[in-house]
Amino acid sequence: MRRAENGLNMVSKNPKGPLNRHSFAFVSGLGFGWMSGFVSYITLLTEALGPGILTCISCPLVSLYFISAITTVLFTLLHITWMMLTFEGLAGSKSAYLFVWVVVTHFGASYGTLLNSSNISYGCVYSILLALILLIINTILVIRNLHKISAQH
């Protein structure tokens, strides 16, 4: 991370800016989120080449493509917040808990998607709600860290 940060500071308009690390983390998270979303959704779209429509097992009245689209958007946004929290968590020992939070919530959100293919009634709704709640908490943590950084400078 420090090697990449040194290289990014060389091409930055404001290399000594206090929010550089956060903008690098945002761009990294956005890129990783797009790549992850593209890979996860394109594999589902290949299934659409066949006849008929796939329905979600836990929500049989809803198309699996719709549930996967919502999940992909939420995970793309989660990747942005996870990357920003990871950069902050790895930057100092006082914020190492953020890195642990990222790992735990990543596993939680990922395992939450298993509810889509479960026999639990409305499992897809629980899966989306879990990802949405984690996104809200992560966004609050990111905003709090940005306020803390801007207050120091």
Side-chain angles (χ1 to χ4, degrees), residues 72-91:
T72 300
V73 168
L74 287 171
F75 267 82
T76 300
L77 295 172
L78 277 167
H79 278 295
I80 293 170
T81 60
W82 282 330
M83 192 65 76
M84 293 182 79
L85 293 173
T86 298
F87 268 55
E88 187 65 29
L90 294 177

Side-chain angles (χ1 to χ4, degrees), residues 8-59:
L8 290 169
N9 277 329
M10 288 178 14
V11 297
S12 176
K13 287 183 181 179
N14 187 8
K16 300 292 183 189
L19 297 177
N20 266 0
R21 184 173 358 113
H22 298 288
S23 60
F24 299 155
F26 178 83
V27 170
S28 299
L30 184 62
F32 191 79
W34 280 352
M35 181 266 317
S36 174
F38 180 74
V39 168
S40 67
Y41 199 69
I42 201 71
T43 55
L44 178 67
L45 288 180
T46 58
E47 297 293 324
L49 296 175
I53 187 168
L54 293 174
T55 58
C56 185
I57 294 173
S58 63
C59 298

Side-chain angles (χ1 to χ4, degrees), residues 136-148:
I136 290 169
I137 293 170
N138 286 351
T139 303
I140 290 169
L141 289 173
V142 166
I143 291 171
R144 192 180 71 183
N145 284 330
L146 289 175
H147 281 302
K148 192 183 336 176

